[in-house]
Short mmCIF file of all heavy atoms in Angstrom, two decimals:
data_model
loop_
_atom_site.label_atom_id
_atom_site.label_comp_id
_atom_site.label_asym_id
_atom_site.label_seq_id
_atom_site.Cartn_x
_atom_site.Cartn_y
_atom_site.Cartn_z
N ALA A 1546 118.39 112.94 83.80
CA ALA A 1546 118.93 113.95 82.99
C ALA A 1546 118.14 115.30 83.04
O ALA A 1546 118.72 116.39 83.20
CB ALA A 1546 119.05 113.52 81.55
N ALA A 1547 116.85 115.12 83.17
CA ALA A 1547 115.99 116.43 83.31
C ALA A 1547 116.25 117.01 84.63
O ALA A 1547 116.38 118.30 84.76
CB ALA A 1547 114.54 116.07 83.04
N ILE A 1548 116.29 116.28 85.74
CA ILE A 1548 116.60 116.80 87.04
C ILE A 1548 117.93 117.46 87.09
O ILE A 1548 118.17 118.50 87.70
CB ILE A 1548 116.42 115.79 88.10
CG1 ILE A 1548 114.97 115.17 88.19
CG2 ILE A 1548 116.88 116.21 89.47
CD1 ILE A 1548 113.96 116.18 88.74
N ALA A 1549 118.90 116.75 86.44
CA ALA A 1549 120.18 117.34 86.37
C ALA A 1549 120.21 118.70 85.64
O ALA A 1549 120.96 119.69 86.03
CB ALA A 1549 121.24 116.43 85.65
N ARG A 1550 119.40 118.82 84.65
CA ARG A 1550 119.32 120.08 83.85
C ARG A 1550 118.60 121.20 84.70
O ARG A 1550 118.86 122.35 84.56
CB ARG A 1550 118.55 119.94 82.53
CG ARG A 1550 119.39 119.14 81.57
CD ARG A 1550 120.56 119.96 81.14
NE ARG A 1550 121.22 119.36 80.04
CZ ARG A 1550 122.08 119.99 79.23
NH1 ARG A 1550 122.40 121.21 79.41
NH2 ARG A 1550 122.64 119.30 78.25
N LEU A 1551 117.72 120.73 85.64
CA LEU A 1551 117.12 121.72 86.46
C LEU A 1551 118.19 122.40 87.45
O LEU A 1551 118.07 123.50 87.83
CB LEU A 1551 116.00 121.07 87.43
CG LEU A 1551 114.69 120.87 86.70
CD1 LEU A 1551 113.83 120.08 87.62
CD2 LEU A 1551 113.98 122.15 86.41
N THR A 1552 119.13 121.52 87.75
CA THR A 1552 120.14 122.04 88.63
C THR A 1552 121.13 122.96 87.89
O THR A 1552 121.52 124.01 88.45
CB THR A 1552 121.02 120.85 89.15
OG1 THR A 1552 120.13 119.85 89.67
CG2 THR A 1552 122.06 121.21 90.15
N ASP A 1553 121.50 122.58 86.65
CA ASP A 1553 122.36 123.45 85.83
C ASP A 1553 122.03 123.25 84.41
O ASP A 1553 122.46 122.26 83.82
CB ASP A 1553 123.79 123.16 86.19
CG ASP A 1553 124.72 124.02 85.23
OD1 ASP A 1553 124.38 125.05 84.78
OD2 ASP A 1553 125.92 123.56 85.05
N ASP A 1554 121.30 124.16 83.75
CA ASP A 1554 120.85 124.02 82.44
C ASP A 1554 121.91 124.19 81.40
O ASP A 1554 121.70 123.88 80.21
CB ASP A 1554 119.61 124.86 82.12
CG ASP A 1554 118.88 124.37 80.89
OD1 ASP A 1554 118.89 123.11 80.51
OD2 ASP A 1554 118.10 125.20 80.32
N THR A 1555 123.04 124.76 81.80
CA THR A 1555 124.10 125.02 80.83
C THR A 1555 124.87 123.66 80.49
O THR A 1555 125.45 123.58 79.47
CB THR A 1555 125.12 126.03 81.38
OG1 THR A 1555 125.71 125.48 82.47
CG2 THR A 1555 124.47 127.31 81.70
N GLY A 1556 124.87 122.76 81.40
CA GLY A 1556 125.51 121.53 81.22
C GLY A 1556 127.05 121.64 81.56
O GLY A 1556 127.79 120.71 81.38
N LEU A 1557 127.46 122.81 82.05
CA LEU A 1557 128.85 123.01 82.40
C LEU A 1557 129.33 122.41 83.67
O LEU A 1557 130.40 122.03 83.81
CB LEU A 1557 129.15 124.54 82.45
CG LEU A 1557 128.95 125.35 81.14
CD1 LEU A 1557 129.16 126.81 81.35
CD2 LEU A 1557 129.93 124.78 80.09
N SER A 1558 128.38 122.38 84.62
CA SER A 1558 128.78 121.81 85.92
C SER A 1558 127.74 120.67 86.26
O SER A 1558 126.96 120.81 87.21
CB SER A 1558 128.87 122.80 86.99
OG SER A 1558 127.67 123.51 87.24
N MET A 1559 127.78 119.58 85.51
CA MET A 1559 126.77 118.48 85.76
C MET A 1559 127.16 117.84 87.15
O MET A 1559 128.27 117.88 87.57
CB MET A 1559 126.95 117.51 84.60
CG MET A 1559 126.57 117.99 83.28
SD MET A 1559 124.90 118.69 83.29
CE MET A 1559 123.89 117.21 83.23
#
Side-chain angles (χ1 to χ4, degrees):
I1548 294 292
R1550 288 294 186 162
L1551 281 172
T1552 305
D1553 177 21
D1554 198 24
T1555 64
L1557 297 175
S1558 59
M1559 295 301 286

